[in-house]
Amino acid sequence: MTRSEFDDIRAHIDAEADHPSDLLRVARSLVSDLEDAKMREAKLRAQYLRLLTGARTTIAAQAAGHPEPLAFLTDELAKQGQLPTTEEEMQQVLVDAHTAATLLTHLEQAPRLKQAAAGVIRGGPRVHRCAGSSRSLPR
């Protein structure tokens, strides 16, 4: 759920505090959304673990001189429907990988460039400063 959806729910709870049935409906909806999010997270974690295992196994198989070291990663990508099969798909994957690497490089450099421009980067540890007003939530 987005922050604005949570804000809407808080406003609804504040406005409808006299109606327990509405609050119960909101609570059930939130629990359902939380269960869905947890299930999606579990599936993504499992998929990530399978891909990481396939990648590590591929590297180990190559180092050990296995005749087909890519078989492990190829099999996992095929199971997940992520194996590029056409020349066009292969070229798109390569372009996407290059773009992602470029974006990551810029994202990693951006904070350092901003700090250098602001004169924040010095030899010592970074000092965290908080500024601005805080927002309190109704209890």
Side-chain angles (χ1 to χ4, degrees), residues 12 18 27 30 35-36 39 41 44 48 50 60 72 83-84 88-89 91 94 98 101 105 122 124 131 134 138:
H12 179 74
D18 296 337
L30 289 174
E35 287 175 341
D36 291 345
M39 185 58 70
E41 179 187 11
L44 286 172
Y48 171 79
R50 287 191 305 269
F72 302 100
L83 189 63
E88 184 179 331
E89 287 176 334
Q91 289 303 316
L94 294 172
H98 176 73
T105 300
R122 296 183 181 96
S134 64

Side-chain angles (χ1 to χ4, degrees), residues 11-117:
H12 179 74
I13 289 170
D14 289 342
E16 302 290 332
D18 296 337
H19 303 286
S21 62
D22 285 344
L23 295 178
L24 186 58
R25 184 177 43 79
V26 169
R28 285 186 177 138
S29 175
L30 289 174
V31 168
S32 177
D33 288 349
L34 182 60
E35 287 175 341
D36 291 345
K38 288 290 191 181
M39 185 58 70
R40 284 191 306 272
E41 179 187 11
K43 287 178 180 179
L44 286 172
R45 285 178 180 267
Q47 183 180 25
Y48 171 79
L49 182 58
R50 287 191 305 269
L51 287 171
L52 181 62
T53 300
R56 294 183 75 217
T57 305
T58 296
I59 298 299
Q62 182 181 20
H66 190 278
E68 294 184 47
L70 288 176
F72 302 100
L73 192 54
T74 302
D75 182 53
E76 190 55 47
L77 289 171
K79 285 179 187 174
Q80 296 185 24
Q82 296 294 321
L83 189 63
T85 55
T86 66
E87 182 66 30
E88 184 179 331
E89 287 176 334
M90 291 177 207
Q91 289 303 316
Q92 189 60 52
V93 167
L94 294 172
V95 168
D96 290 347
H98 176 73
T99 302
T102 302
L103 288 172
L104 285 173
T105 300
H106 288 293
L107 286 173
E108 291 167 350
Q109 291 175 352
R112 301 245 342 133
L113 293 174
K114 285 180 184 178
Q115 290 173 351

